[in-house]
Structure formats: structure tokens, C-alpha cells
Amino acid sequence: MNTQHDNDLNRDPITGTPGSHPVGVGVGGVGGAAAGAVIGAFGGPIGMLIGGGIGAVAGALAGKAVAEQLDPTLENEYWSTQYKTRPYYDPQYDYQSDYGPAFALGASTRSQMTDRAWDESLEAELRQRWDEARGSSKLDWNRAQGPVRDAWERSDRTHRAFRETDQYYGTQFEQAPYRVSGASFDDYRPAYRYGTAARTHYPNQQWDEAEPKLERQWNAVKGESRLTWTEAKAAVKDAWHNVERVLPGDADRDGR
């Protein structure tokens, strides 16, 4: 049976190897354990997003609670481009009909079960849910278990990272030079989450290159924040560069 200690080791959902997930997408070649060693005090959110695999720029950015449903459209977009790289991929099965429902089940279940760890009892429960959720998928549970757990682990890393990000920036917010008069931390929370996740989502881009894309998405991820992009941008950039400072070298080549 898996334990909470096993979960903390960030084991690969398929092989069980500790710290075996890739470092984001194309960000250096440092494994999870090595990334955690250089992150220091800010290792919680960044270690989980970089050392534990890329996090989702998703619906969880927007709200006050971590245990929110990740944006299913963005999660679907991510897995539809990544599923062929996973060790359980079999070309006789396609994404839309076969793998997609398994990824959706893993992500949605983790959002609903905020305090559950992956263990034998959860796996048994998901096996039962799969019979109802699979639709026309040709995957039996033995083949579906890999993508279900993969999506669960990705969702878990994202939720935990955002929880830690909220705690970190909550202690810095009162001194932030860009704070707009009358704005609360709840207004800035989505901006900090957005910058943290976005820096891992665009690992090889400079801020000036990514910023127009982030501006276009702001209204979709801001939730209840009252900030315009002009007002939120400095906080997003602040979080972006906090991730930048723990990457190997100057990954976006802007001198920071």
C-alpha cells in the first residue's frame, strides 16, 4: 500500500521511482530531487511545479480555494499533446475515445477529494468509477489506471503548489510596491498563481515574449479579481521571476 511518505517522494505514477518526473518542459535536465536541493525556502510551490512536472495554467488559478475543478478544456489540451510520450501509450488506442476519459477521471476526482492520497482504497474506488466514466473507451482498468493516476498526480501537484504559493505571497503582499489602493489579497491571488504556473508553462520564453499571451488569458483566469491586466501584470511578473530565480542559469535571458 502507498503511504503519505511515498506521496511526498513524488514517485512516478507508473514506475514508482522517486522524483522521476521531468523538469517542466524543456527546462534544463535537472531531476526532481536536484531541483528541490537548489530551491531553498521557496521550494514548496516551485519544487512541485518544476521538480514534480509542469503545473496547469488552469481554472484553479482563479478562485479562493485550492480544491477547485481545474479547467477541463486546458487539461484536455495538455494531455492531448502529451499522452503519446507516456509509458502506457499504445498506438492502437486514440486520445479522444480511449485515453481522454481516463485523464478526465483522474483530474476531476483529485479536485473533488482534497485530502485523499493515492492508495489501494482510492484505486479500488476509481476502478469502480471507471466503469461509469469510460463511455466508449476501449481501455479496461489495467490500461486505464496509468492515465487516471497520471492526471491525478498532475492535479495534486498543481493544487498543492497553489496552496503553498498563496501562503508565500500572503506574507509579502502588504509590502508589494505595485499594490493598487483598495485592492485585497484576494484580488492579487490569481495573479500570483498565474505567474507561478505560467513560468513553467512557457519555460523557454522571455517575459516580454510571453506577456501578450498572458494578457489575452487574464480575463479567463482572474475569477473574482477586480484587477485589470494593467493592474495585475506586475504581480504576475513578480511570481514569474521568482520561478526564474531558481531555474538553472538565466532561462529567459533577461538578466534576472
Side-chain angles (χ1 to χ4, degrees):
M1 177 181 296
N2 291 344
T3 64
Q4 184 60 47
H5 176 65
D6 288 328
N7 194 50
D8 291 342
L9 287 176
N10 187 37
R11 294 186 182 276
D12 183 276
I14 308 303
T15 66
T17 304
S20 60
H21 291 286
V23 184
V25 175
V27 182
V30 185
V38 301
I39 285 165
F42 197 44
I46 306 308
M48 281 182 274
L49 283 176
I50 298 176
I54 189 169
V57 182
L61 294 166
K64 299 177 182 178
V66 174
E68 294 173 350
Q69 175 69 44
L70 298 182
D71 187 320
T73 301
L74 289 171
E75 288 299 286
N76 181 68
E77 177 184 347
Y78 174 82
W79 286 115
S80 68
T81 63
Q82 296 296 315
Y83 80 108
K84 290 183 178 180
T85 69
R86 307 305 296 153
Y88 44 74
Y89 170 64
D90 186 329
Q92 69 176 301
Y93 302 107
D94 67 23
Y95 178 79
Q96 192 65 35
S97 300
D98 300 316
Y99 286 107
F103 290 123
L105 176 63
S108 63
T109 304
R110 170 58 185 83
S111 295
Q112 296 162 6
M113 300 179 175
T114 58
D115 297 320
R116 292 282 296 274
W118 187 283
D119 56 21
E120 291 180 357
S121 65
L122 175 61
E123 184 174 336
E125 186 174 335
L126 286 169
R127 177 194 290 263
Q128 294 180 342
R129 290 192 180 201
W130 176 240
D131 289 337
E132 300 177 359
R134 64 188 296 179
S136 61
S137 175
K138 296 186 292 294
L139 302 181
D140 60 18
W141 175 248
N142 288 335
R143 292 186 179 275
Q145 188 267 353
V148 169
R149 184 166 184 178
D150 221 358
W152 167 282
E153 296 285 355
R154 169 177 157 86
S155 178
D156 181 63
R157 288 191 298 271
T158 301
H159 286 303
R160 289 190 293 136
F162 286 149
R163 182 184 297 117
E164 295 296 324
T165 298
D166 290 350
Q167 293 174 355
Y168 175 82
Y169 283 108
T171 66
Q172 311 294 318
F173 174 68
E174 294 295 333
Q175 291 75 43
Y178 45 74
R179 181 181 178 185
V180 176
S181 178
S184 68
F185 180 68
D186 284 338
D187 291 312
Y188 278 92
R189 186 194 315 265
Y192 291 127
R193 293 184 178 189
Y194 194 30
T196 298
R199 183 62 190 84
T200 63
H201 197 69
Y202 301 111
N204 299 314
Q205 295 187 15
Q206 299 183 42
W207 166 261
D208 290 342
E209 184 180 1
E211 192 268 333
K213 304 172 188 176
L214 301 181
E215 179 179 5
R216 288 193 295 270
Q217 297 176 34
W218 172 242
N219 286 336
V221 302
K222 65 184 289 186
E224 298 177 1
S225 173
R226 296 171 292 175
L227 302 180
T228 65
W229 174 250
T230 300
E231 295 167 331
K233 180 171 67 173
V236 176
K237 188 175 183 179
D238 187 6
W240 171 285
H241 281 297
N242 263 327
V243 179
E244 170 72 17
R245 293 184 186 102
V246 302
L247 295 175
D250 181 15
D252 71 356
R253 306 176 303 282
D254 65 354
R256 299 194 182 197

